[in-house]
Amino acid sequence: MNLYSVKQLLYQEGQSQSVHIKGWVRTKRGNKFVNFLALNDGSCIKNIQIVADTDKFSEELMNRINTGACIAVQGSLVSSQGKGQSVEIHAKDIVILGEADAEAYPLQKKKHTLEFLREIAHLRPRTNTFGAVLRIRHTLAFAIHEYFNNKGFFYLHTPLITGSDAEGAGQMFRVTTLDPKNPPLTPEGNVDYSKDFFGKATNLTVSGQLEGELGAMGLGLVYTFGPTFRAENSNTSRHLAEFWMIEPEMAFYDINDNMDLAEDFIKYLVSQALLKCSDDLQFLSETYDPELINRLKNVVETSFARVSYTEAVEILLQSQPYRKGKFEYPVSWGTDLQSEHERYLVEKHFQKPVIVNNYPKDIKAFYMRQNEDGKTVAAMDVLFPQIGEIIGGSQREERYDKLLTRIKEMNIPEHELWWYLETRQYGTCPHAGFGLGFERLVLFVTGMGNIRDVIPFPRTPQNADF
Ligand code: ATP
Ligand code: MN
């Protein structure tokens, strides 16, 4: 098939050649002699102009080609007289693959709100905005695999269905094949999950980390990249019920190696987007946020600030908004940083990304390595402008006794984690890892304001359409 993409035609040399192209009509305009169709096929943000002379194509055919229609065009590629494009196609033959009713088509030329586009998520991939976002999303996903592969990491596929509810990162979705109207019951009257598909209660995973650790303690360097599910009822612009997470896990890394990797990784990803998605970024920056590209360059070029949680709290207690009572949430040693605090540190105080480490152990998960002070753990959060937390990670507790004590203190069912504990009994080693929320990264790179607009089909409370 000698089918070209718009991208191939716009970026290649050579003219007057015969080409074949298919795509969706964005706009149609014209006069007595000629019609101009702007055709987009998703390969890039730009359209190619189709020139259709009225003496070659009947009015009847032209009337059926409206915004939204899908057409196939055969013609010759010539340099363009018009402004705004270097080449155009002079059509010899046009076939309509799918008509679109001009009146009813929901994507009219006028600018639609992002909220409206969420209601027509089945059509929004055809807009400039979602084309750009989804191409950038692809580029970032690809760069993630490239980065780890080049560094000798192995892609580990961890399960989506989990039998332990000790992953420790939020509310879970139950997975069951029992009849909800008539489930088998135990003598005590509870649902008897031993009769369920897996012979036990199961849920969708909230993190692949624990299994990632098992992989790292054999393969050395591994990463996961898969969907994650959290049934938290948080209707924010930064939370999804189904999101994608990248979780590298590294044998022999300590918390400093972990921070170095996180910083290098994120800089690589942002620089790949700058390199490979310049047209899409240009479009997003012109349409939504003129500061976008500068913000991305800034992340690539400056080294991230690193502070301990204790230092971060001091900075916040000294800050203007704290002293003027402008923060909504309290600041004191021992309470978790809220997103308003994280954004103050990043956007006002340091004016660059910040890695906060050594958090109080009581606000962090059981598996984080306990520091000598007895109060803090070797945790790290990477905080970004506009986003707040983009990465959460830690050095893992590799000492069996300390881990077991912590599990007991936190009332975590020890028997469910027997396999995790065994890795500390047989050939344990220092190791570390982190989780990057993929959509938070895409949010940052695209400059979009709402996480629902950086995943093709978002899952949020009360919303699982499309
Ligand atoms: P937050 O405090 O923002 O709710 P968290 O502390 O629950 O996040 P972690 O358990 O550390 O998050 O998960 C690692 C990363 O996954 C986070 O840094 C973030 O980038 C991403 N993430 C967490 N929850 C969500 C969510 N509901 N939707 C999208 N991304 C998320
Ligand atoms: Mn976190």
Side-chain angles (χ1 to χ4, degrees), residues 168-170 206-207 230 232 234 238-245 247 336-337 342 364 367-368 381-382 387 389-393 434-441 451:
V206 294
S207 157
R230 295 190 186 178
E232 51 200 0
S234 41
R238 293 173 305 110
H239 290 89
L240 292 164
E242 176 181 288
F243 64 100
W244 288 67
M245 185 141 69
E247 295 179 280
D336 210 355
L337 303 180
E342 298 176 341
K364 289 292 181 187
Y367 49 72
M368 298 191 178
D381 278 4
V382 181
I387 309 293
E389 180 187 330
I390 195 165
I391 283 180
F434 60 80
L436 166 69
F438 186 50
E439 285 74 19
R440 299 249 176 113
L441 173 75
I451 199 161

Side-chain angles (χ1 to χ4, degrees), residues 30-228:
N31 54 38
K32 259 198 303 201
F33 311 105
V34 66
N35 285 292
F36 298 104
L37 305 172
L39 199 69
N40 188 283
D41 66 355
S43 58
C44 64
I45 190 102
K46 293 192 173 133
N47 305 323
I48 194 155
Q49 174 156 284
I50 311 294
V51 183
D53 295 334
T54 49
D55 61 3
K56 258 192 248 145
F57 299 96
S58 70
E59 207 178 326
E60 190 272 330
L61 180 85
M62 275 301 151
N63 284 340
R64 288 167 52 214
I65 301 178
N66 295 301
T67 298
C70 187
I71 60 172
V73 179
Q74 191 89 50
S76 48
L77 187 71
V78 297
S79 56
S80 174
Q81 317 292 311
K83 275 206 298 258
Q85 69 261 331
S86 54
V87 290
E88 60 191 20
I89 296 174
H90 284 190
K92 292 203 177 71
D93 185 36
I94 299 179
V95 176
I96 301 178
L97 301 178
E99 286 183 45
D101 183 322
E103 303 279 294
Y105 186 56
L107 285 173
Q108 296 298 333
K109 234 191 292 178
K110 73 177 170 73
K111 216 176 145 195
H112 298 292
T113 64
L114 294 168
E115 287 78 8
F116 171 71
L117 293 177
R118 269 172 232 151
E119 290 167 18
I120 53 162
H122 58 304
L123 297 173
R124 67 180 187 172
R126 300 187 193 183
T127 62
N128 281 332
T129 296
F130 286 88
V133 167
L134 295 176
R135 281 185 296 269
I136 292 170
R137 187 179 163 107
H138 160 82
T139 301
L140 290 168
F142 200 81
I144 286 164
H145 288 299
E146 217 162 43
Y147 179 85
F148 285 127
N149 187 54
N150 289 344
K151 277 196 145 24
F153 282 65
F154 298 105
Y155 183 21
L156 186 76
H157 296 98
T158 51
L160 299 193
I161 298 175
T162 172
S164 91
D165 57 11
E167 289 172 348
Q171 293 294 105
M172 303 178 102
F173 290 100
R174 177 60 40 90
V175 174
T176 178
T177 54
L178 295 178
D179 178 359
K181 280 208 218 98
N182 188 24
L185 298 177
T186 63
E188 299 81 46
N190 298 320
V191 175
D192 185 0
Y193 286 106
S194 71
K195 304 259 164 52
D196 204 347
F197 189 90
F198 296 106
K200 64 195 292 198
T202 50
N203 293 292
L204 291 178
T205 185
V206 294
S207 157
Q209 178 203 315
L210 301 187
E211 289 94 348
E213 287 186 49
L214 313 183
M217 291 174 81
L219 290 159
L221 304 172
V222 300
Y223 70 104
T224 71
F225 185 177
T228 320

Side-chain angles (χ1 to χ4, degrees), residues 241-350:
E242 176 181 288
F243 64 100
W244 288 67
M245 185 141 69
I246 300 100
E247 295 179 280
E249 204 60 48
M250 297 76 66
F252 318 122
Y253 273 47
D254 67 14
I255 187 74
N256 291 313
D257 302 322
N258 205 20
M259 290 192 280
D260 291 344
L261 182 76
E263 180 169 344
D264 187 61
F265 176 49
I266 250 184
K267 283 178 167 166
Y268 176 80
L269 300 178
V270 175
S271 66
Q272 286 296 301
L274 283 166
L275 191 70
K276 297 189 172 148
C277 305
S278 54
D279 286 355
D280 288 323
L281 287 172
Q282 195 62 42
F283 168 81
L284 292 173
S285 133
E286 280 162 15
T287 312
Y288 298 101
D289 181 358
E291 274 307 299
L292 175 64
I293 291 175
N294 276 341
R295 204 158 53 238
L296 301 184
K297 286 188 177 152
N298 193 36
V299 160
V300 176
E301 284 158 14
T302 57
S303 58
F304 297 3
R306 296 187 188 188
V307 283
S308 69
Y309 167 89
T310 305
E311 288 164 324
V313 168
E314 312 252 284
I315 292 169
L316 291 168
L317 290 174
Q318 303 284 324
S319 72
Q320 283 258 359
Y322 177 78
R323 286 184 292 164
K324 294 196 169 156
K326 294 271 166 63
F327 285 137
E328 190 183 334
Y329 292 91
V331 180
S332 71
W333 201 97
T335 51
D336 210 355
L337 303 180
Q338 298 296 322
S339 128
E340 57 178 354
H341 309 135
E342 298 176 341
R343 292 187 60 173
Y344 173 83
L345 292 170
V346 174
E347 289 162 27
K348 296 277 159 31
H349 188 83
F350 289 104

Side-chain angles (χ1 to χ4, degrees), residues 371-385:
N371 289 327
E372 298 312 314
D373 63 12
K375 292 189 299 194
T376 61
V377 287
M380 59 170 221
D381 278 4
V382 181
L383 312 179
F384 257 49

